[in-house]
Amino acid sequence: MSLLVLLGLLMFTSCINDDELEGQFESSATISGFDMTLCACCGGWIIDIDGQEPDKRFSELPENSNIDLQNSTFPLSVKLNWSESNEYCNNGITIESIELVN
């Protein structure tokens, strides 16, 4: 009997469903590339977060990110946690965590 309880607990704790993984990130986004426009509020990487207008900009990824923006093919679908930044005329963000969506 205790073996059945132990096996049940083991199976219950080892299951991870997609809803739990999605809960780790607050937003979905698409990185479309680098903004090469020359203006005071331009530059940075262009990111469309949850379809919001206008697109946001960011300058760097977190250190633990495995995304290589220099050698990627765009657009990139990602999940991320982020906060507002005053960069790019208050249209910037700081990315706290990010993960590619396959």
Side-chain angles (χ1 to χ4, degrees):
M1 180 70 166
S2 62
L3 181 60
L4 286 174
V5 171
L6 181 61
L7 285 174
L9 286 173
L10 181 61
M11 287 190 312
F12 178 74
T13 58
S14 65
C15 293
I16 298 175
N17 65 37
D18 290 339
D19 292 336
E20 290 174 2
L21 288 176
E22 284 185 23
Q24 294 176 0
F25 296 97
E26 62 191 37
S27 300
S28 296
T30 303
I31 302 172
S32 56
F34 192 80
D35 182 2
M36 303 270 253
T37 310
L38 298 175
C39 70
C41 298
C42 302
W45 296 94
I46 303 167
I47 187 166
D48 173 14
I49 301 173
D50 297 326
Q52 295 178 7
E53 293 290 333
D55 291 340
K56 301 288 188 183
R57 303 287 189 274
F58 68 94
S59 56
E60 62 186 15
L61 295 173
E63 285 185 24
N64 61 350
S65 168
N66 61 353
I67 300 172
D68 180 4
L69 293 174
Q70 302 299 328
N71 297 306
S72 292
T73 302
F74 296 97
L76 294 176
S77 294
V78 296
K79 296 182 284 187
L80 73 157
N81 293 327
W82 59 282
S83 59
E84 297 283 340
S85 163
N86 61 3
E87 287 185 295
Y88 309 106
C89 300
N90 293 322
N91 200 27
I93 65 166
T94 300
I95 298 176
E96 296 153 4
S97 58
I98 189 168
E99 181 178 287
L100 278 173
V101 175
N102 295 328

